[in-house]
Amino acid sequence: MKRIPIRSLETQALALIAFFSLAVECQARQSSSATSDTQQWTIEGDVTDGTQPIPGASVSWRGAGPNRTVESDGRGHYVLSGSNRARAWVNAEKDGYCDGPERVVSAEPGARVEHIDLVIHKEGIISGRVLDPEGNGLEGAEVALYEKVFKEGKPGVKFTGVSHTNDLGEYRIAGVCAGPSFLFANPPLSKPHTLRPSPANRPIPGTPRPSIERRIYYPNAESSDGAQAIYIQPGQQMEGIDFQFRNAATLCVSAKAAADNSFISLRGTIESGGVPVGTGRVDAQDAFEICGIPPGQYVLMVQSMNEAQFSTASKIVAFSRTEFALGKEDLALGELPYTPTFSLSGSVSVAGKSSEEAFPSGLFVRFKAPPDRSVHLGESWYARVGPTGAFELPLVLYGDYQLEIHELPSGYYVKQFTQNGRDVRFGGVRPELGPVSIVLGADGATVSGTVTAKDGTPLHDVLVVLMPKQTTVGDEILSQPTDQDGRFNLTAGVRPDEYYLIAFSGLIEGQQQNLDFMRANIKNAREITLSPKANRSFSLSVQDAHNSSLSAQPQ
Amino acid sequence: MRGASVAALARRTIGGAASMVIAAGPIETDDRGSYRIYGLTPGRYSVVLLPDGASLGTTPFAPVYYPGSIDADAAQFFDLQAGESRGGVDLTMLLVAGGDVQGLVTNIPSAWRPGRTAVALLTTTGLHTQMETVVAGAGGDFVFHAVPPGTYQVAAWGPLMGFALYPGQHWKLGSRRIRVDAGGLDGVEVALHDVTLLNGIIQFELGSNAVRDCFANAQLTLHPADPIPNVQPLRASLPPNGRFTIRDIPIGLYALELQGLSKDCFLRGASFGQGKLEPGPIAIEGDGDLTLFLSTQMGEIAGTVVDLDDKPVAAARVLAVPLSRQGQASGIDDVLTTSSGEKGQFSLPRVPPGHYQLLAVAEVLSIAYLDPSYRRDHGTVEVEVKSNDRTPAVLRISR
């Protein structure tokens, strides 16, 4: 059931970003297809579970122009049509089934593309109980299902399901798809409480108090190293996947917010697993305390709002981030920093072009979200680049960011990205250090071609990866899946340089940006040199990630 | 039915009127259509299947009351005892014929681009909830399909940015009541109006002593008489200087709820702008000042608890449930209680003026007494308490 909530002011910042992303993407795609023919294309195929047809599945097209959705008929057959020239994504979904993998499809006006068959499988169910150390059901615990993937080239997780326990400690996660999945459970979050001078009711400071662990991995492992993969078959119901927390010595942290209407979030550092510990609202007049925290590395984030109630005038006015280590004793952090918000401006220019020449339209810049926090109300996360190349993010929080530029036209790439003379292309943008400058190159190359099997059959949805030979950063690696005819076409972001070009099947999400994995496989890559404005075409065979010399599993 | 929202319902008195409120939830049904609502205080409840009407793009339907009716009056309530776990409280989705409701939103500012105005269809009987929300067309046109016959409120507001209100923008809202018959309804016109900003101040009634900390932990909530979209809560905490602001209030009639006052004072009434002090709901018609009048001048209820043979009953619990006092919440904290003495006598010495229903019971085992129908079934005595006055009452003990 598709839901677009429009009532929550607390979450509207996030929604706005999603909307803007969509709006900007749509605009760019529409403008790129301004020359499209009025002839209709059609894409058709069958939705099955591998053997049997699936009637009533929603088949969606995401690409140029508005998204389209049709329903598969009684034989599982579907037909999509449109008129925009496009390279787009088609997928199928149905209640009670896992979403199938997306297919990349290119369609020209007037074309009839057949046999874009989509496979979806019945969902699996995982259920069980979460128990406290005494064996009683633990209410309000969070059980999360995740897959191991790569994020920005580093091992990470992708959450695929979540459930909260009821008063009996029961949880149930539906929509579990085939493949190795892992589970962990977190107890309910701690709440900050105001510190009052009432010694008689307080435990002796500095003494660890018994509590429970902050996270356990199935089957009751302390860390993700001990987590056991769960393999579920389509339609399988796996019951009795239980957790039992153990007692653990825990401590308290106290602090004082610098402003009223402050919302705190206490969690483990990303390096220590990022386990959430506590959250709540505090005011400036009282010190607060959060307890039930095991020793470890933590970060305490505070966002202060301009008013107590959420309204259309609500905005964040200050943000602070305090990292600390908790050892054997309670910790008093004292008054937390108060860092007002910033505005960040910048400019985009094109190397070798004068200001009179036409500037690329549709560009926008976006912050890459910090891994340990969500977007806050009113925070600027994107900005359109104006016709003069200027952009501004009016409300930016204290921190260290990576800024990305999106919707580069064909032939353009990022040549230089600086702030105060520092190279910040792959991170290090600090809003307090002044404007950023982005220089684009307009003499980028184009790499296209086809991926085929040994017998010459085109291979669809194979990932073609273009990796600069000298790179030390996974973000520089470009990739694109092949369409139904095995074609790929990398046109933007390709700077003149020396590259490895390789095609993979069976990659884990984000694995192509893992430098260790890529280096282990470059022996099979095509080495190419791209000169300015080069337009090269290649025919590739595929490298199976599962047979590569590096384990396909992120750790 | 998977992913449906189910809530526990209770009946309460709000602003003097019997209303349905959500007592717990809503929670989502799982892949089997099962739900479990827990943590309920013993009392009288029903359940309701709620539409996801505050979201765009969902399938609209009218709330379905247990065991299976869109008529709120047909909802079956049941008493839940302490420790009881009641299963089989199943709800069935209904197929009900309905017509289209079509109309136009007017007064849309020319600066608003198409797609900036939301229109919601809200229920006006039973639980007030959004049944469906759509985005008005470029000309302000809207349509709701398959609306069952009944009375509804249509509300329009904006500007939207994406799926939320445009932050930092002055928004507008308009609404009107409609009656839909089996054939639907055409030509529903809804005009947008500016939302208002309310500056509030607290004053003590003449003759009352300003009591320190009277409202230190108080929070004011405005309850609209007509249902409005759940855009944002209309409430404010009351700071020590007694001055507060509530933004973005649609014009209309509101009942005030003031929670967290100390036991020494009560809300006598409120006035808006130059208007006089109103003991009941107040009309907010634009930006203006709201004055809350607090008072310390209480009354007293005193009397006797007797049995069916008119013999005094000792150690009975006496409950005084407020009915229509301005600012009165309907929660358990607002009910005054005491016990009868050896000769059945009782006294509630500090009672804010207003109308009350009095009830005497042997033991308080649940909060069912908050339900107006429960009180009606248990022979309550209704009294009016006045400032600095003693109100007598004889209560017959209830089952």
Side-chain angles (χ1 to χ4, degrees):
Chain A
M1 191 180 289
K2 187 181 174 189
R3 294 175 180 183
I4 305 172
I6 59 171
R7 61 184 164 189
S8 167
L9 274 166
E10 288 86 339
T11 56
Q12 72 178 14
L14 210 58
L16 287 177
I17 286 166
F19 168 75
F20 250 83
S21 305
L22 281 172
V24 172
E25 285 176 37
C26 286
Q27 188 193 49
R29 285 174 182 146
Q30 281 166 355
S31 61
S32 69
S33 60
T35 57
S36 66
D37 203 320
T38 52
Q39 271 189 298
Q40 293 269 307
W41 50 251
T42 58
I43 297 171
E44 56 187 292
D46 296 324
V47 184
T48 68
D49 64 1
T51 53
Q52 297 300 312
I54 310 279
S58 292
V59 180
S60 300
W61 150 282
R62 290 187 300 112
N67 294 350
R68 293 174 179 78
T69 300
V70 296
E71 206 165 87
S72 60
D73 64 18
R75 296 175 295 117
H77 192 70
Y78 75 90
V79 181
L80 281 160
S81 61
S83 59
N84 296 87
R85 177 182 293 115
R87 192 173 204 276
W89 290 263
V90 177
N91 81 320
E93 53 188 49
K94 183 175 180 176
D95 266 0
Y97 287 79
C98 290
D99 293 356
E102 291 184 327
R103 293 279 311 264
V104 175
V105 183
S106 296
E108 298 289 325
R112 182 175 176 189
V113 183
E114 296 177 302
H115 302 300
I116 304 300
D117 298 331
L118 303 165
V119 178
I120 57 176
H121 292 291
K122 276 207 162 169
E123 66 180 359
I125 311 281
I126 292 176
S127 62
R129 292 185 74 203
V130 179
L131 307 172
D132 67 14
E134 285 73 46
N136 304 310
L138 185 62
E139 180 185 335
E142 180 183 66
V143 181
L145 183 79
Y146 66 95
E147 295 171 3
K148 291 183 176 179
V149 295
F150 288 91
K151 287 189 170 175
E152 296 157 34
K154 295 173 187 157
V157 300
K158 177 181 166 185
F159 292 103
T160 52
V162 69
S163 173
H164 289 87
T165 55
N166 63 16
D167 56 318
L168 306 176
E170 296 168 339
Y171 75 91
R172 185 176 176 91
I173 301 176
V176 185
C177 304
S181 294
F182 301 83
L183 282 166
F184 66 69
N186 295 332
L189 291 177
S190 298
K191 296 281 179 200
H193 57 268
T194 303
L195 279 176
R196 302 277 187 203
S198 53
N201 298 328
R202 297 258 303 121
I204 302 165
T207 307
R209 280 153 308 270
S211 186
I212 59 174
E213 303 156 291
R214 295 307 310 182
R215 175 173 288 177
I216 49 175
Y217 293 82
Y218 183 77
N220 292 338
E222 287 179 6
S223 74
S224 59
D225 295 340
Q228 197 177 88
I230 294 171
Y231 293 86
I232 200 162
Q233 300 302 313
Q236 185 183 354
Q237 297 209 16
M238 202 176 267
E239 296 171 345
I241 306 297
D242 297 343
F243 295 83
Q244 183 162 18
F245 279 96
R246 292 167 288 250
N247 283 316
T250 61
L251 298 149
C252 300
V253 169
S254 61
K256 194 167 185 287
D260 283 345
N261 310 322
S262 292
F263 295 84
I264 64 164
S265 168
L266 175 63
R267 60 191 312 144
T269 57
I270 289 297
E271 295 74 23
S272 69
V275 180
V277 176
T279 185
R281 184 193 150 154
V282 295
D283 285 319
Q285 72 261 27
D286 300 310
F288 66 88
E289 184 181 63
I290 294 188
C291 294
I293 317 169
Q297 302 285 325
Y298 295 92
V299 57
L300 179 61
M301 286 176 275
V302 184
Q303 60 157 335
S304 304
M305 305 299 296
N306 59 333
E307 55 186 19
Q309 308 298 330
F310 282 102
S311 75
T312 49
S314 297
K315 66 174 184 177
I316 185 167
V317 292
F319 178 78
S320 75
R321 194 175 186 287
T322 305
E323 284 198 29
F324 62 90
L326 202 54
K328 295 179 179 174
E329 295 186 343
D330 287 355
L331 186 63
L333 294 172
E335 184 160 316
L336 298 166
Y338 180 90
T339 313
T341 57
F342 302 88
S343 80
L344 178 67
S345 60
S347 62
V348 182
S349 59
V350 181
K353 286 199 175 183
S354 69
S355 55
E356 282 75 39
E357 291 182 79
F359 191 80
S361 61
L363 297 178
F364 69 98
V365 293
R366 188 163 64 183
F367 271 138
K368 192 177 266 189
D372 61 359
R373 71 170 175 89
S374 55
V375 176
H376 294 303
L377 188 71
E379 187 178 359
S380 312
W381 280 94
Y382 59 85
R384 289 174 188 273
V385 178
T388 62
F391 65 86
E392 181 166 15
L393 296 140
L395 199 159
V396 180
L397 308 185
Y398 175 77
D400 190 323
Y401 299 92
Q402 182 174 349
L403 203 57
E404 299 173 322
I405 185 159
H406 290 261
E407 296 299 327
L408 286 174
S410 181
Y412 282 76
Y413 62 94
V414 176
K415 204 175 175 83
Q416 205 175 54
F417 206 137
T418 56
Q419 184 186 35
N420 249 346
R422 298 177 305 120
D423 181 2
V424 292
R425 186 169 171 197
F426 302 110
V429 174
R430 299 181 62 89
E432 72 275 23
L433 296 182
V436 296
S437 167
I438 303 171
V439 180
L440 302 179
D443 58 352
T446 297
V447 180
S448 59
T450 310
V451 182
T452 56
K454 284 178 182 169
D455 62 359
T457 311
L459 294 173
H460 64 80
D461 299 289
V462 164
L463 198 67
V464 176
V465 181
L466 186 66
M467 173 185 175
K469 274 190 174 178
Q470 302 302 323
T471 191
T472 56
V473 184
D475 280 354
E476 279 199 301
I477 298 172
L478 302 173
S479 60
Q480 187 182 74
T482 56
D483 68 10
Q484 75 278 13
D485 298 320
R487 291 174 300 192
F488 62 94
N489 192 14
L490 293 157
T491 63
V494 186
R495 69 165 189 254
D497 204 346
E498 293 183 325
Y499 289 91
Y500 296 111
L501 182 65
I502 188 168
F504 288 104
S505 69
L507 285 191
I508 292 169
E509 183 177 317
Q511 194 173 14
Q512 72 277 10
Q513 288 191 313
N514 181 269
L515 291 175
D516 291 337
F517 170 78
M518 288 301 297
R519 284 174 185 141
N521 284 279
I522 53 177
K523 60 181 181 295
N524 302 308
R526 181 81 60 91
E527 295 186 44
I528 62 173
T529 300
L530 298 174
S531 54
K533 296 191 176 179
N535 188 348
R536 304 277 304 278
S537 186
F538 300 91
S539 181
L540 301 175
S541 58
V542 75
Q543 171 80 7
D544 187 345
H546 294 305
N547 298 326
S548 71
S549 57
L550 188 76
S551 165
Q553 282 295 318
Q555 298 304 302
Chain B
M1 186 172 164
R2 176 186 196 150
S5 294
V6 179
L9 273 184
R11 286 183 292 224
R12 298 288 183 264
T13 306
I14 296 177
S19 306
M20 280 186 176
V21 297
I22 290 181
I27 59 127
E28 242 182 44
T29 56
D30 66 17
D31 57 292
R32 301 163 296 185
S34 301
Y35 73 91
R36 181 177 174 85
I37 299 173
Y38 52 89
L40 290 164
T41 307
R44 181 170 281 193
Y45 299 99
S46 184
V47 294
V48 62
L49 177 61
L50 290 168
D52 192 16
S55 299
L56 295 170
T58 53
T59 306
F61 59 87
V64 178
Y65 296 89
Y66 175 72
S69 172
I70 62 168
D71 178 4
D73 293 337
Q76 284 183 17
F77 280 72
F78 48 85
D79 288 315
L80 202 59
Q81 311 298 329
E84 182 182 356
S85 182
R86 183 177 287 244
V89 186
D90 298 338
L91 290 152
T92 305
M93 199 69 177
L94 299 169
L95 275 177
V96 181
D100 288 356
V101 173
Q102 300 188 53
L104 195 67
V105 182
T106 60
N107 283 356
I108 298 177
S110 56
W112 292 13
R113 288 163 53 193
R116 295 278 200 249
T117 310
V119 193
L121 186 71
L122 300 107
T123 55
T124 58
T125 55
L127 193 69
H128 292 180
T129 186
Q130 272 169 256
M131 249 176 71
E132 185 179 3
T133 304
V134 297
V135 173
D141 53 298
F142 63 87
V143 59
F144 298 105
H145 298 291
V147 179
T151 305
Y152 299 89
Q153 194 82 11
V154 177
W157 72 99
L160 298 178
M161 174 181 255
F163 319 124
L165 273 174
Y166 211 113
Q169 298 285 312
H170 194 66
W171 64 290
K172 290 170 178 281
L173 183 143
S175 78
R176 63 173 295 178
R177 187 68 60 104
I178 59 168
R179 171 79 206 166
V180 180
D181 60 25
L185 186 65
D186 284 349
V188 178
E189 192 173 306
V190 183
L192 294 180
H193 303 282
D194 288 336
V195 291
T196 63
L197 183 144
L198 206 60
N199 286 311
I201 185 166
I202 289 173
Q203 288 187 1
F204 277 87
E205 188 187 28
L206 203 62
S208 285
N209 299 318
V211 181
R212 188 178 167 81
D213 293 337
C214 164
F215 54 88
N217 298 308
Q219 186 175 64
L220 175 70
T221 302
L222 303 184
H223 292 287
D226 288 326
I228 61 171
N230 184 16
V231 177
Q232 64 181 71
L234 300 174
R235 59 175 177 245
S237 297
L238 304 185
N241 66 6
R243 293 184 180 276
F244 59 91
T245 298
I246 308 181
R247 297 177 200 279
D248 305 335
I249 306 168
I251 58 173
L253 197 64
Y254 289 88
L256 307 183
E257 180 185 330
L258 195 52
Q259 286 185 309
L261 282 180
S262 77
K263 296 292 181 192
D264 299 318
C265 60
F266 63 93
L267 181 65
R268 161 68 82 183
S271 71
F272 177 70
Q274 300 301 315
K276 59 179 184 171
L277 185 148
E278 298 285 353
I282 58 162
I284 295 176
E285 291 154 348
D287 288 356
D289 298 329
L290 176 72
T291 306
L292 301 179
F293 292 95
L294 302 185
S295 175
T296 57
Q297 298 184 55
M298 309 271 187
E300 182 188 358
I301 303 173
T304 312
V305 180
V306 296
D307 63 15
L308 293 175
D309 300 323
D310 288 336
K311 291 180 180 169
V313 178
R317 294 296 291 169
V318 175
L319 308 166
V321 184
L323 289 183
S324 59
R325 188 154 52 82
Q326 173 67 287
Q328 184 57 61
S330 57
I332 191 169
D333 292 340
D334 308 297
V335 176
L336 304 169
T337 63
T338 188
S339 295
S340 60
E342 282 184 17
K343 295 177 180 172
Q345 79 282 11
F346 73 89
S347 171
L348 289 161
R350 296 188 58 76
V351 182
H355 291 265
Y356 290 82
Q357 282 183 334
L358 306 179
L359 184 65
V361 292
E363 225 179 337
V364 178
L365 296 173
S366 84
I367 59 167
Y369 56 81
L370 292 176
D371 185 321
S373 66
Y374 176 93
R375 297 197 298 271
R376 186 191 59 221
D377 297 344
H378 286 75
T380 54
V381 172
E382 191 165 329
V383 296
E384 182 182 2
V385 177
K386 295 179 177 170
S387 294
N388 305 317
D389 197 13
R390 190 166 192 258
T391 304
V394 175
L395 307 180
R396 210 167 296 280
I397 195 157
S398 174
R399 286 176 282 123

